[in-house]
Amino acid sequence: MTGRTRLDGIESLRAYAAVSIVFFHLIGSGGATVPDSLSFIKTHFGFGVPLFFVVSGFSLAYGYWGRLSGEGQLGTYFLRRFARIAPLFYAVLAFQLLNVWFEAHVKFAPLDVALNALFVFNLVPHLNEGIVPASWTIGVEMLFYVIFPLSLLVCSNLRRTLFVLAVSIAVSTAATIDLKSLETVYPSFVYHNAVSQLPYFIWGMAFFHVQRVIAQHVDARHARMICWGLCALGLAGIYTLYASSTLYMFFWTRGLRPTWDMLWGIPFGMLCLAMALHPSRLLSNPVTRYLGKISFSLYLVHPTVLFKFGRAGLYNWVYAKLPGHEALAYFVCLLISLAVITAISAVTFRLIEQPGMNWGKRLASRKEAVLAPA
């Protein structure tokens, strides 16, 4: 199986993560409601963000393994990472600045805008969430991009990666506990800072090394069986973490709730491993791959769409038309929202993201040509 096919499987995981976050924010940002039987959506679908982070760590390690050994390669890496994120982020940032000004006459301090534009806002407690809705994850992602070359150097094999993972979980837990005193003032900073989220990326890198070992010894037929086995284990792991109050209480009563959060990296990593070894057509198909390709647009566009639909009364109207059918009303609202979000994201991907990535590739090619030996 080719590397392209394996990365297609990982792309599909991005789609699942993005859609799960829309499920989650439809309740938080849009104001939709769900019956008690679907309460897991509002309590656990937010874990689509950690899934994003695990996928990111896995795919970066997969894509750049053995390719960041020289100064020229490092420069190319940073150019392409910047070009992947910055154009759309800056476009949405500009939209948000204009949006809050016209709607509420709110202005942001020039320094706050500059810190967002420089992608360091995640390090500042009162700016941690970012000006762009839900952009705290972008702040975390960009900081990981900065340390990724060093991480790849240190995490050169599975054993070293597991050691780094253990250290990162210990540091993440300690940092979250130490920051607890700020929870009433800066709750987002306590839980959404880059240090607290770092282990998810390392989980992805660890499962990449597992994939390297398995891929060397398994043929395509057995890879398919392993894929389904890993999917089953991953889903079982997700259900266990969701349903096992005993496991949760073991960590919570010891003041180690942040460590419990990090355990979600295990089933998410299993799903990455499964989709990289043999992405099933059922799980990775043209629809999921396309949604994965535009997932960054989906993520940045969705909060504004959900909020505006909620404020305009669309969701209340749907619920009023379906009295006594709360679950059905929720899914109708979800389908309407996903259709609009996907349509807008398709446009922003084509007009902003794709040209931005092409620009990055051109700059990288020129840099490589200059550095190439005569």
Side-chain angles (χ1 to χ4, degrees):
M1 184 168 297
T2 65
R4 174 65 61 185
T5 303
R6 287 174 180 147
L7 288 183
D8 282 348
I10 298 301
E11 204 76 83
S12 293
L13 276 182
R14 296 186 201 277
Y16 295 127
V19 171
S20 74
I21 294 169
V22 175
F23 269 82
F24 176 73
H25 279 154
L26 178 57
I27 299 170
S29 300
T33 61
V34 291
D36 290 342
S37 59
L38 297 176
S39 62
F40 60 87
I41 294 176
K42 63 182 178 181
T43 58
H44 285 77
F45 270 47
F47 275 99
V49 170
L51 174 56
F52 255 131
F53 291 158
V54 175
V55 170
S56 183
F58 187 100
S59 60
L60 282 172
Y62 191 102
Y64 285 100
W65 181 252
R67 295 174 54 198
L68 293 178
S69 56
E71 180 181 344
Q73 291 175 320
L74 283 173
T76 296
Y77 160 78
F78 284 118
L79 275 173
R80 296 187 70 165
R81 289 295 93 200
F82 179 81
R84 179 67 185 91
I85 299 297
L88 180 63
F89 181 80
Y90 288 158
V92 179
L93 176 61
F95 170 83
Q96 183 65 8
L97 290 171
L98 292 172
N99 182 50
V100 297
W101 164 247
F102 282 115
E103 290 197 349
H105 298 290
V106 172
K107 283 185 178 180
F108 289 92
L111 179 59
D112 291 354
V113 177
L115 291 173
N116 274 262
L118 293 171
F119 298 104
V120 294
F121 58 93
N122 186 264
L123 301 174
V124 184
H126 75 281
L127 298 177
N128 180 263
E129 281 292 316
I131 293 174
V132 174
S135 64
W136 71 268
T137 62
I138 311 304
V140 171
E141 185 89 16
M142 290 298 276
L143 291 173
F144 179 70
Y145 286 169
V146 172
I147 68 169
F148 172 72
L150 178 60
S151 301
L152 197 62
L153 179 65
V154 175
C155 300
S156 57
N157 56 48
L158 181 58
R159 182 178 298 178
R160 289 186 178 183
T161 307
L162 290 176
F163 175 76
V164 172
L165 175 63
V167 172
S168 70
I169 291 175
V171 172
S172 170
T173 300
T176 304
I177 293 173
D178 288 345
L179 291 172
K180 269 283 191 177
S181 59
L182 300 176
E183 189 171 16
T184 56
V185 183
Y186 304 117
S188 174
F189 183 70
V190 174
Y191 298 104
H192 292 169
N193 65 82
V195 174
S196 70
Q197 302 297 315
L198 178 61
Y200 292 120
F201 295 95
I202 308 301
W203 273 119
M205 297 180 72
F207 276 95
F208 160 71
H209 283 293
V210 175
Q211 184 271 335
R212 287 182 64 227
V213 174
I214 294 177
Q216 292 173 0
H217 299 93
V218 175
D219 58 28
R221 182 171 61 88
H222 290 97
R224 182 178 182 179
M225 296 171 59
I226 293 174
C227 164
W228 285 110
L230 286 168
C231 285
L233 284 174
L235 293 175
I238 290 172
Y239 179 77
T240 299
L241 288 169
Y242 162 72
S244 177
S245 58
T246 302
L247 182 61
Y248 176 82
M249 291 303 295
F250 174 84
F251 287 95
W252 187 82
T253 56
R254 291 162 174 79
L256 298 175
R257 162 64 196 272
T259 306
W260 178 84
D261 288 338
M262 295 303 111
L263 295 181
W264 287 79
I266 299 174
F268 292 159
M270 288 181 177
L271 294 177
C272 287
L273 181 56
M275 297 297 278
L277 287 171
H278 189 95
S280 162
R281 290 188 181 92
L282 179 63
L283 302 176
S284 178
N285 51 65
V287 173
T288 61
R289 290 194 292 272
Y290 180 73
L291 291 177
K293 184 169 71 171
I294 66 171
S295 60
F296 184 42
S297 280
L298 287 172
Y299 183 80
L300 285 187
V301 165
H302 87 272
T304 300
V305 172
L306 296 179
F307 176 76
K308 289 188 177 295
F309 276 176
R311 193 175 64 173
L314 172 64
Y315 301 141
N316 289 336
W317 179 81
V318 172
Y319 278 81
K321 291 294 182 179
L322 297 168
H325 300 283
E326 190 177 16
L328 177 59
Y330 172 81
F331 284 107
V332 170
C333 292
L334 179 68
L335 289 174
I336 294 171
S337 303
L338 279 174
V340 174
I341 292 166
T342 301
I344 296 173
S345 298
V347 174
T348 56
F349 178 81
R350 182 165 184 176
L351 298 183
I352 302 175
E353 282 193 76
Q354 191 70 64
M357 288 187 285
N358 292 338
W359 170 71
K361 289 177 183 178
R362 289 195 300 271
L363 286 180
S365 297
R366 292 172 189 168
K367 184 177 181 63
E368 289 171 350
V370 169
L371 294 174

